[in-house]
C-alpha cells in the first residue's frame, strides 16, 4: 500500500528584465524567478485529474504580467506580491514558494549599463494564506583579509600535515540568508544594512577560526537589523598558500600566494535570537 507524500510543482528560473523608462534616465531590474505551488494535489498524482492544477506556464506568464502591471521594486516586495496572488486567487492552492535572484547592473549612461561583477541578491518567500515568511540574502560576496587571521591549536592525528599559523590570508565567498520577523518599512534599506553588517564584521574581526568570523558576522546582522531573527551562513574557505620561492633564491615574506579553488573547507552555521519563532526550522 502506498500514500502520496509532500509534493509541489512550479516554474523554475523565469528570467525577466524590467526596464523603467522615466525620461532619459532608465532603470533596470534583472531577475531570475522561481515559483512553486502546493495544495491538495492527490487527484493529479493518482489519476491525472488536472482540475486543481494552475499550469506552470501560467505561473511564468504571471511573473511577466506582474512585472508590467506592478513594476519591480525590492525583490522581497515582488515575491510577496506573487505568492499572495497565487494562494489568494486559487482555491486549490494552499501554499506558494517564490524564490528570486537579482543581478546588479552598473549605470554607464542614461540608458547604458554594464553587468556588475558583485554578489547576487536573493530572497525566498513562503505564503500559506495567513502568514508570510521572508528570507533575504546574498550569494558570492567575495571578501579577503590579508592578515589578522590565525589557525592553530586544532586536533592532530596520523594524517595531519597542515602546519599551524599565526598569520594567514583569510578569504571566502559568503552565502548569507536572514529571516525577517515581520516586514521592515524599507526592504532596500534593510538589505543594505545587513550587507554592510556582514562586510564590517568580516573586516574588523580578528579571526582565530573561520567559525569565529561566521558567528561575528551573523551577530552583527542581528545587532544592526532588529527585524531579523535568524541568520544562516555558508563560508567556503578560499585557501591561499605561500609559494615556495627558495628554488629561485627569493624570500617570500607573506607576499606571493597560490589561490587554490578546490578542495576547500566549508564552514556553515546559524546565529539566531534566543526567542526567535521557528528558529532552526528548514527554510526550503
Amino acid at each position: 500500500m502506498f500514500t502520496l507524500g509532500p509534493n509541489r510543482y512550479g516554474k523554475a528560473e523565469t528570467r525577466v528584465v524590467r526596464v523603467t523608462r522615466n525620461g532619459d534616465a532608465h532603470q533596470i531590474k534583472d531577475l531570475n524567478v522561481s515559483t512553486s505551488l502546493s495544495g491538495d494535489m492527490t487527484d493529479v498524482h493518482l489519476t491525472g485529474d488536472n482540475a486543481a492544477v494552475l499550469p506552470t506556464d501560467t505561473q511564468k506568464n504571471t511573473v511577466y504580467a506582474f512585472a508590467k502591471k506592478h513594476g519591480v521594486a525590492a525583490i522581497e516586495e515582488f515575491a510577496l506580491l506573487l505568492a499572495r496572488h497565487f494562494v489568494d486567487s486559487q482555491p486549490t492552492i494552499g501554499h506558494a514558494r517564490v524564490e528570486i535572484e537579482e543581478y546588479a547592473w552598473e549605470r554607464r549612461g542614461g540608458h547604458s549599463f554594464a553587468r556588475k561583477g558583485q554578489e547576487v541578491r536573493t530572497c525566498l518567500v513562503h505564503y500559506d494564506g495567513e502568514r508570510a515568511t521572508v528570507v533575504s540574502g546574498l550569494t558570492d560576496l567575495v571578501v579577503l583579509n590579508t592578515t589578522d587571521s590565525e589557525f592553530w591549536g586544532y586536533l592532530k592525528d596520523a594524517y595531519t600535515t597542515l602546519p599551524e599559523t599565526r598569520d594567514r590570508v583569510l578569504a571566502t565567498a559568503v552565502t548569507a540568508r536572514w529571516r525577517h520577523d515581520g516586514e521592515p518599512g524599507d526592504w532596500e534599506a534593510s538589505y543594505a544594512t545587513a550587507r554592510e553588517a556582514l562586510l564590517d564584521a568580516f573586516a574588523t574581526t580578528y579571526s582565530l577560526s573561520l567559525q569565529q568570523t561566521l558567528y561575528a558576522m551573523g551577530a552583527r546582522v542581528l545587532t544592526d537589523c532588529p527585524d531579523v531573527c535568524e541568520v544562516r551562513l555558508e563560508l567556503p574557505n578560499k585557501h591561499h598558500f605561500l609559494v615556495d620561492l627558495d628554488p629561485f633564491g627569493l624570500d617570500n615574506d607573506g607576499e606571493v600566494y597560490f589561490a587554490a579553488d578546490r578542495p576547500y573547507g566549508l564552514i556553515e552555521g546559524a546565529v539566531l535570537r534566543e526567542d526567535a519563532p521557528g528558529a532552526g526550522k528548514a527554510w526550503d
Side-chain angles (χ1 to χ4, degrees), residues 23-185:
D24 294 332
H26 297 173
Q27 305 290 331
I28 188 171
K29 283 282 189 174
D30 186 355
L31 310 181
N32 191 30
V33 182
S34 294
T35 60
S36 188
L37 309 179
S38 57
D40 185 1
M41 299 292 158
T42 301
D43 288 346
V44 67
H45 285 87
L46 301 188
T47 69
D49 184 346
N50 295 310
V53 174
L54 184 70
T56 65
D57 190 67
T58 302
Q59 296 176 45
K60 174 202 69 178
N61 292 340
T62 304
V63 171
Y64 292 135
F66 274 38
K68 168 59 179 176
K69 290 172 59 178
H70 303 285
V72 179
I75 57 175
E76 290 88 352
E77 291 180 14
F78 193 59
L80 282 166
L81 187 69
L82 289 167
R84 287 169 172 152
H85 165 77
F86 288 129
V87 174
D88 294 343
S89 66
Q90 301 297 331
T92 61
I93 305 301
H95 188 104
R97 177 188 188 275
V98 181
E99 185 171 18
I100 301 179
E101 298 174 337
E102 179 179 357
Y103 310 114
W105 291 79
E106 178 183 6
R107 179 180 299 282
R108 303 298 297 173
H111 58 270
S112 181
F113 301 84
R115 175 75 177 268
K116 286 185 178 180
Q118 66 178 58
E119 75 279 357
V120 175
R121 180 174 171 179
T122 65
C123 80
L124 173 64
V125 166
H126 286 276
Y127 177 65
D128 63 4
E130 296 182 359
R131 177 175 173 80
T133 301
V134 181
V135 178
S136 301
L138 53 81
T139 62
D140 293 328
L141 177 62
V142 180
V143 290
L144 181 150
N145 287 336
T146 55
T147 189
D148 286 352
S149 177
E150 306 179 18
F151 189 56
W152 53 273
Y154 43 81
L155 289 172
K156 302 178 182 68
D157 64 14
Y159 303 104
T160 302
T161 60
L162 182 72
E164 294 187 343
T165 179
R166 304 289 175 144
D167 187 21
R168 66 172 180 171
V169 169
L170 182 67
T172 187
V174 180
T175 294
R177 297 186 297 165
W178 50 93
R179 181 165 60 90
H180 299 270
D181 184 14
E183 299 181 26

Side-chain angles (χ1 to χ4, degrees), residues 181-224:
D181 184 14
E183 299 181 26
D186 187 332
W187 289 108
E188 299 289 356
S190 176
Y191 175 80
T193 300
R195 180 183 185 275
E196 184 61 28
L198 293 168
L199 290 172
D200 188 59
F202 180 84
T204 59
T205 299
Y206 192 106
S207 179
L208 299 177
S209 68
L210 190 50
Q211 287 90 336
Q212 179 190 13
T213 300
L214 180 150
Y215 184 83
M217 294 170 74
R220 183 69 62 84
V221 173
L222 293 176
T223 298
D224 294 355

Side-chain angles (χ1 to χ4, degrees), residues 1-34:
M1 188 66 180
F2 306 107
T3 186
L4 178 66
N7 61 88
R8 62 190 183 194
Y9 74 102
K11 185 67 84 175
E13 301 196 35
T14 297
R15 293 286 284 108
V16 54
V17 176
R18 175 59 155 93
V19 178
T20 302
R21 304 176 183 275
N22 289 331
D24 294 332
H26 297 173
Q27 305 290 331
I28 188 171
K29 283 282 189 174
D30 186 355
L31 310 181
N32 191 30
V33 182
S34 294

Side-chain angles (χ1 to χ4, degrees), residues 233-253:
L233 291 149
E234 299 175 17
L235 303 181
N237 198 337
K238 291 186 166 291
H239 301 293
H240 287 65
F241 299 111
L242 278 171
V243 177
D244 181 9
L245 299 179
D246 287 345
F248 318 119
L250 299 172
D251 295 330
N252 190 4
D253 187 17

